[in-house]
C-alpha cells in the first residue's frame, strides 16, 4: 500500500508545482553561510561566490555571492549539511543532546532479465557479511521494468581500521540469494551517501529564532527501517503547516516530537 519513488524524478516534479504556486527556485547556487544578526536571529543565507578560478580567486566571470534574506530559514540540507553544521555549532543547538552517529549507504540500480523482478517487493537484511561487532544491513527494492535497487548500509562507528564498507557491499552481492537475483543483469547507476543514524536522542534543537531544521539535516531518519525520505517528507510538511499556523519557529521541535514521525523515531 506504499510507494517506491525515485527522488531524481520526484524533486523536479515537485519543483514545477512549487513554481506554479509562485515559489522562486534558484538551481545551481549553493548556500555558503548563514546570515545571523547580532542578537542571534537567523536572517537568511549568503550564496557562494561564482566564477572563481582553481586557486579560489576571482576569474573573468566572477560574481560575488548574493544575500538571500528571509523571515524564516528552513535548512533541509540532508546529512551533515554545511550551513547546518555551522549553525549547530554557532547557536549551540546540540548542547545537552547525545552526539549524532552516522552510517554510509551504497545503492545501485540494476536492469535484470525479464521475469525475475517482483515489483513492489521490499527485502531488508541485518548483519552479513559484517561481523557481530559491526552494524550493517541491506535493502533490495523491486521496481518496474525489470529493475531493482540494491544497497548496503554500514555504521561508521566500526572499530576495525582495516574494514572497508564498499568491499562489504561487494561481498554482500555474492550471497547466494543476491547473486542469483543479479546474475546476467546490468548495472545502470550507482551512488553513495551518509545517513544520520542517532535517532531520537541525537536530534539537535530543531528550532532557533528565524530557523528550522528539517529531515536529515536534523537527523529524523529511522535507521532500522532505513526510512529517511519518508521521515524527511513528514518533517518538511509539518514545518510548512506549523509556519502557516503560527508564523513562528518557537515550539516546532515539540510539535515534531509529538507527531507521527517523532513517535516513530522514539519507538
Amino acid at each position: 500500500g506504499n510507494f517506491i519513488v525515485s527522488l531524481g524524478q520526484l524533486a523536479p516534479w515537485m519543483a514545477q508545482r512549487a513554481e506554479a504556486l509562485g515559489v522562486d527556485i534558484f538551481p545551481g547556487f549553493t548556500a555558503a553561510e548563514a546570515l545571523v544578526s547580532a542578537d542571534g536571529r537567523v536572517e537568511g543565507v549568503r550564496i557562494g561566490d561564482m566564477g572563481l578560478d582553481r586557486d579560489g580567486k576571482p576569474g573573468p566571470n566572477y560574481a560575488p555571492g548574493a544575500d538571500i534574506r528571509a523571515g524564516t530559514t528552513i535548512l533541509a540540507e540532508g546529512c551533515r549539511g554545511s550551513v547546518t553544521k555551522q549553525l549547530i555549532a554557532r547557536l549551540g543547538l546540540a548542547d545537552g543532546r547525545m552526539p549524532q552517529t552516522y552510517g554510509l549507504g551504497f545503492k545501485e540500480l540494476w536492469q535484470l532479465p525479464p521475469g525475475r523482478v517482483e515489483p513492489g517487493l521490499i527485502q531488508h537484511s541485518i548483519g552479513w557479511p559484517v561481523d557481530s561487532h559491526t552494524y550493517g544491513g541491506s535493502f533490495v527494492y523491486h521496481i518496474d521494468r525489470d529493475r531493482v535497487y540494491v544497497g548496503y548500509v554500514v555504521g561508521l562507528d566500526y572499530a576495525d581500521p582495516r574494514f572497508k564498507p564498499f568491499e562489504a557491499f561487494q561481498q554482500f552481492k555474492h550471497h547466494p540469494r543476491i547473486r542469483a537475483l543479479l546474475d546476467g543483469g546490468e548495472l545502470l547507476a550507482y551512488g553513495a551517501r551518509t545517513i544520520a543514524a542517532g535517532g531520537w536522542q541525537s536530534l539537535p534543537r530543531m528550532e532557533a529564532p528565524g530557523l528550522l531544521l528539517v529531515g536529515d539535516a536534523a537527523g529524523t531518519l529511522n535507521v532500522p527501517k532505513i526510512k529517511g525520505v519518508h521521515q524527511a517528507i513528514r518533517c518538511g510538511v509539518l514545518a510548512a503547516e506549523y509556519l502557516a499556523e503560527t508564523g513562528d519557529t518557537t515550539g516546532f521541535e515539540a510539535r515534531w516530537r509529538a507527531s507521527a514521525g517523532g513517535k516513530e523515531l522514539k519507538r
Side-chain angles (χ1 to χ4, degrees), residues 60-203:
N61 298 317
Y62 172 74
D67 290 352
I68 298 180
R69 297 187 176 273
T72 303
T73 300
I74 303 175
L75 290 181
E77 294 185 292
C79 179
R80 287 182 61 77
S82 55
V83 178
T84 304
K85 287 194 295 182
Q86 295 171 17
L87 286 176
I88 287 176
R90 180 169 179 175
L91 303 179
L93 300 182
D95 293 353
R97 308 291 169 95
M98 293 294 290
Q100 188 60 266
T101 63
Y102 299 95
L104 177 62
F106 305 94
K107 183 172 75 172
E108 296 179 344
L109 174 63
W110 283 74
Q111 180 71 55
L112 301 185
R116 194 175 296 174
V117 173
E118 301 178 48
L121 177 64
I122 302 294
Q123 297 170 296
H124 283 176
S125 74
I126 293 178
W128 193 90
V130 297
D131 62 29
S132 61
H133 301 289
T134 307
Y135 178 82
S138 75
F139 59 88
V140 180
Y141 300 144
H142 294 239
I143 57 175
D144 60 355
R145 304 202 300 272
D146 297 302
R147 298 176 301 164
V148 296
Y149 287 118
V150 56
Y152 198 85
V153 178
V154 175
L156 292 180
D157 56 351
Y158 59 85
D160 184 354
R162 300 164 298 178
F163 177 72
K164 296 180 175 62
F166 184 68
E167 288 187 4
F169 178 38
Q170 300 308 310
Q171 188 177 352
F172 165 76
K173 289 188 294 182
H174 285 274
H175 185 280
R177 290 186 63 178
I178 305 303
R179 185 168 187 167
L181 176 70
L182 301 179
D183 188 42
E186 178 187 0
L187 177 59
L188 300 179
Y190 53 88
R193 59 163 294 195
T194 53
I195 64 172
W200 172 267
Q201 67 270 23
S202 296
L203 291 174

Side-chain angles (χ1 to χ4, degrees), residues 34-37 39-44 70-74 87 91 93 205-213 243 247-251:
L35 302 174
V36 184
S37 67
D39 62 356
R41 182 178 182 86
V42 178
E43 297 183 332
T72 303
T73 300
I74 303 175
L87 286 176
L91 303 179
L93 300 182
R205 222 166 68 238
M206 300 170 70
E207 64 190 62
L211 173 72
L212 293 179
L213 302 182
L243 284 176
D248 192 17
T249 60
T250 304

Side-chain angles (χ1 to χ4, degrees), residues 196-233:
W200 172 267
Q201 67 270 23
S202 296
L203 291 174
R205 222 166 68 238
M206 300 170 70
E207 64 190 62
L211 173 72
L212 293 179
L213 302 182
V214 299
D216 279 5
T220 59
L221 180 140
N222 176 347
V223 182
K225 292 188 176 182
I226 324 180
K227 283 170 65 175
V229 175
H230 183 96
Q231 288 282 87
I233 291 175

